[in-house]
């Protein structure tokens, strides 16, 4: 195992495997070229969003609806993404491309911060290649087309990690403050930012420098600052019975436990798509070298921040379903250590392979988004991979037409997903969209609740055709049949409509549909 570096020695001043002094850095030599590439890629992605025909998925529409009622928290997520969408709307409006516009812009910023991490921890060339691999990994090519909480999370994780690396070089209060603010904002984006705490612990286990840093006050002050930044959301959660925490925990512990090693392997296999096959493959190699005690200290620090999220989610995946993006924060330090390893070993062919895979993925997605309703892939159960994100506009517009034909004063829905689409695509239709509370929908979430004070007849739009669960709660129920939507778009769906009058007081939550 390489000997520990002196705290007075810059972390990249010695190559521990050889003891040969590292070449002097040429500050910012590659930065102008990198900025040009990233700005061009960001502009291309924004043009792609402008030309895309893909409807807002209901998660995206839900985030938009939150942005219409700013708060310090929401049912299923912290508030930062809603705040970002609110700000974006003031710049370019409410169209789908504008709602999604923060994604490619944040990825540009994340790539630049990754450059700074690689340059500070290794050298400028490593930072350059790490930034390009970040911008053109398969996960970024996909995620830069949608608005999600992972997008700002990765940016603020990268900023916090950069501040931590600078603290390793020489503890300074400005970097402690930066780390604290970035960590707090990351928590306001998504609670997965908390993974940075076990990352600090594992880094201290594998790095003498990281252990010494924890003996001082800087990291602890940074965590205190983060707590202050996230405190408005914590107070909001306390006032709502910690509903967001319960929802987040329910994603894991609320599922039926089924032991399956295959599911864990599926999650790990999915990481080759999220991180990119080259990057994740190199991360596995670096992890094996860590276990064998053959890693430079800088590599050990980086892999420390990737180990815990991947290991924890893989362990969860043995018993419950784990989504591929649950360990996304591991990507930032993973791409830095992957780039450092490939540059050190002069494996530029693998770097090129990673960039080519990402570039091809990006090109296919740019084209696919423009012709999404005509995409058909053989051998798939549903040949159109866009099927879940098409047809939402048609669904909302037909629900609006059905409400007008029925003389309804409002549309009511019992589904968070449908509510998001209805609120977004009927935003200018002049008809209110109300929610009938279920176990899935708290009374304060998404739109105005349907209740005894709702005047006039309303149109209930639901996927459930059962009338028995509705009749005890209203004076009259008039079934209006099934309306099919999204036909010809690749995303067919439909809804059952009921004309309702006279909601009872009090109006209880609507029972779960007895039929699938």
């Amino acid at each position: 195992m390489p000997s520990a570096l002196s705290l007075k020695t810059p972390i990249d001043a010695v190559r521990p495997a050889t003891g040969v002094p590292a070449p002097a850095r040429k500050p910012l030599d590659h930065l102008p070229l990198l900025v040009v590439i990233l700005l061009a890629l960001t502009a291309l992605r924004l043009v792609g969003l402008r030309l895309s025909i893909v409807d807002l998925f209901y998660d995206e529409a839900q985030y938009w609806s939150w942005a219409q009622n700013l708060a310090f928290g929401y049912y299923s997520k912290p508030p930062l993404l809603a705040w970002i969408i609110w700000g974006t709307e003031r710049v370019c409006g409410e169209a789908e491309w504008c709602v999604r516009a923060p994604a490619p812009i944040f990825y540009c910023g994340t790539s630049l911060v990754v450059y700074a991490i690689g340059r500070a921890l290794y050298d400028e060339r490593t930072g350059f290649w790490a930034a390009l691999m970040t911008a053109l990994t398969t996960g970024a090519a996909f995620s830069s087309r949608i608005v999600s909480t992972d997008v700002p999370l990765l940016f603020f994780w990268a900023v916090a990690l950069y501040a931590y690396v600078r603290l390793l070089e020489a503890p300074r209060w400005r970097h402690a403050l930066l780390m604290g603010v970035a960590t707090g904002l990351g928590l306001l984006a998504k609670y997965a930012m908390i993974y940075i705490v076990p990352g600090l612990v594992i880094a201290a286990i594998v790095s003498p420098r990281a252990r010494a840093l924890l003996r001082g006050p800087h990291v602890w002050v940074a965590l205190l600052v983060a707590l202050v930044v996230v405190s408005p959301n914590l107070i909001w959660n306390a006032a709502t019975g910690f509903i967001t925490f319960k929802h987040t925990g329910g994603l894991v512990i609320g599922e039926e436990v089924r032991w399956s090693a295959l599911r864990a392997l599926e999650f790990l296999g999915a990481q080759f798509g999220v991180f990119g096959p080259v990057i994740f493959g190199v991360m596995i190699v670096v992890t094996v070298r860590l276990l064998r005690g053959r890693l430079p200290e800088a590599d050990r620090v980086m892999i420390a921040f990737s180990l815990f999220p991947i290991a924890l989610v893989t362990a969860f995946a043995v018993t419950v379903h784990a989504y591929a993006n649950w360990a996304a924060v591991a990507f930032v330090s993973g791409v830095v250590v992957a780039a450092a390893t490939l540059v050190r070993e002069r494996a530029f062919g693998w770097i090129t392979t990673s960039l080519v895979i990402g570039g091809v993925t990006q090109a296919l997605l740019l084209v696919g988004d423009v012709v999404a309703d005509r995409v058909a892939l053989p051998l798939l159960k549903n040949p159109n991979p866009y099927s879940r994100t098409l047809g939402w506009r048609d669904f909302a517009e037909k629900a609006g037409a059905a409400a007008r034909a029925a003389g309804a004063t409002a549309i009511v829905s019992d589904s968070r997903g449908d509510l998001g689409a209805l609120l977004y695509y009927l935003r200018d239709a002049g008809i209110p969209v109300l929610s009938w509370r279920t176990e899935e929908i708290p009374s304060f979430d998404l739109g105005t609740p349907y209740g005894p004070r709702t005047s006039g007849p309303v149109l209930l739009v639901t996927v459930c055709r059962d009338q028995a669960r509705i009749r005890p709660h209203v004076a009259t129920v008039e079934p209006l049949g099934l309306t099919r939507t999204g036909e010809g778009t690749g995303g067919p769906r439909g809804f059952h409509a009921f004309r309702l009058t006279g909601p009872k007081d009090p109006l209880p939550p609507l029972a779960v549909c007895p039929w699938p």
Side-chain angles (χ1 to χ4, degrees):
M1 182 179 236
S3 59
L5 297 178
S6 164
L7 290 180
K8 295 182 180 179
T9 306
I11 201 165
D12 64 340
V14 174
R15 292 180 178 174
T18 63
V20 177
R25 276 191 297 215
K26 296 179 180 178
L28 310 180
D29 276 3
H30 294 83
L31 184 58
L33 175 61
L34 176 65
V35 169
V36 169
I37 294 172
L38 292 179
L39 289 179
L41 179 60
T42 302
L44 179 64
R45 286 170 169 170
L46 289 171
V47 171
L49 291 179
R50 188 67 180 85
L51 298 176
S52 172
I53 65 169
V54 179
D55 295 336
L56 284 191
F57 190 51
Y58 57 72
D59 280 345
E60 298 176 291
Q62 174 183 264
Y63 301 146
W64 172 87
S65 72
W66 288 345
Q68 312 314 302
N69 299 279
L70 295 182
F72 286 117
Y74 300 95
Y75 168 61
S76 60
K77 293 291 189 297
L80 184 62
L81 185 60
W83 299 351
I84 291 169
I85 294 172
W86 181 90
T88 305
E89 281 188 278
R90 271 64 199 163
V91 176
C92 55
E94 296 178 324
E96 289 99 327
W97 74 269
C98 184
V99 174
R100 291 167 169 153
I105 295 171
F106 266 98
Y107 268 111
C108 180
T110 301
S111 300
L112 288 171
V113 180
V114 166
Y115 163 83
I117 296 170
R119 179 175 173 271
L121 196 57
Y122 296 96
D123 54 48
E124 210 247 348
R125 185 169 57 167
T126 296
F128 174 78
W129 290 115
L132 284 187
M133 292 169 74
T134 298
L136 280 175
T137 193
T138 49
F142 179 86
S143 184
S144 62
R145 306 155 42 256
I146 59 178
V147 60
S148 75
T149 52
D150 285 329
V151 174
L153 169 68
L154 288 179
F155 174 76
F156 289 112
W157 178 280
V159 174
L161 189 61
Y162 168 73
Y164 175 75
V165 167
R166 297 303 304 271
L167 287 173
L168 288 176
E169 288 182 346
R172 294 185 176 90
W173 287 114
R174 65 175 181 269
H175 294 135
L177 179 61
L178 177 62
M179 180 180 173
V181 172
T183 302
L185 290 172
L187 287 166
L188 288 174
K190 192 173 183 178
Y191 296 138
M193 188 74 197
I194 198 66
Y195 286 142
I196 201 167
V197 175
L200 293 170
V201 174
I202 297 173
I205 293 172
V206 300
S207 163
R209 184 178 298 254
R211 281 198 297 277
L213 183 61
L214 286 188
R215 295 189 194 107
H218 292 78
V219 169
W220 303 106
V221 170
L223 294 178
L224 180 61
V225 170
L227 182 62
V228 172
V229 173
V230 77
S231 61
N233 178 249
L234 299 180
I235 294 170
W236 179 91
N237 263 285
T240 57
F242 294 98
I243 188 67
T244 313
F245 293 163
K246 290 178 181 178
H247 170 81
T248 303
L251 290 176
V252 178
I253 62 177
E255 291 194 26
E256 179 184 357
V257 173
R258 290 190 303 106
W259 295 90
S260 172
L262 178 60
R263 196 166 47 222
L265 293 176
E266 288 175 350
F267 169 76
L268 289 174
Q271 303 314 296
F272 284 94
V274 175
F275 290 69
V278 173
I279 295 169
F280 195 64
V282 175
M283 288 174 62
I284 293 174
V285 171
V286 171
T287 302
V288 171
R289 290 177 181 176
L290 172 67
L291 298 176
R292 293 179 177 177
R294 291 162 40 190
L295 272 187
E297 186 179 19
D299 290 10
R300 281 179 270 145
V301 170
M302 285 293 96
I303 205 67
F305 285 91
S306 294
L307 280 177
F308 186 82
I310 294 174
L312 180 66
V313 180
T314 302
F316 274 133
V318 174
T319 58
V320 298
H321 175 71
Y323 292 91
N325 67 326
W326 278 7
V329 291
F331 170 76
V332 175
S333 57
V335 71
V336 173
V337 75
T341 301
L342 294 174
V343 168
R344 185 187 305 128
E345 299 180 6
R346 300 185 180 279
F348 290 100
W350 286 113
I351 293 177
T352 302
T353 300
S354 180
L355 296 177
V356 168
I357 292 172
V360 170
T361 302
Q362 181 68 76
L364 290 174
L365 290 171
L366 286 170
V367 174
D369 290 352
V370 176
V371 296
D373 57 344
R374 288 170 280 166
V375 174
L377 300 179
L379 306 179
L380 294 181
K381 183 179 180 180
N382 190 331
N384 191 333
Y386 287 93
S387 59
R388 295 181 71 221
T389 54
L390 290 173
W392 291 105
R393 177 188 292 275
D394 187 53
F395 159 74
E397 290 177 348
K398 286 184 176 176
R404 287 188 290 272
T409 59
I411 297 175
V412 177
S413 176
D414 60 344
S415 162
R416 282 201 307 128
D418 290 354
L419 271 170
L422 290 168
L423 285 166
Y424 178 75
Y425 283 108
L426 295 180
R427 62 191 183 276
D428 298 323
I431 184 166
V433 176
L434 313 179
S435 62
W436 190 335
R437 184 182 177 189
T438 68
E439 292 302 318
E440 182 193 16
I441 311 174
S443 59
F444 59 81
D445 189 57
L446 288 183
T448 303
Y450 175 54
R453 296 182 180 179
T454 302
S455 61
V458 300
L459 186 77
L460 173 64
V461 173
T462 176
V463 297
C464 183
R465 67 180 186 274
D466 180 40
Q467 300 179 40
R469 68 182 188 132
I470 306 170
R471 290 192 180 279
H473 309 310
V474 295
T476 64
V477 178
E478 179 186 351
L480 300 179
L482 172 68
T483 299
R484 297 194 178 277
T485 66
E487 295 178 296
T489 67
R493 53 184 53 84
F495 62 85
H496 294 274
F498 300 91
R499 190 175 185 271
L500 312 179
T501 61
K504 300 293 178 66
D505 187 5
L507 187 69
L510 195 59
V512 175
C513 184
W515 301 322

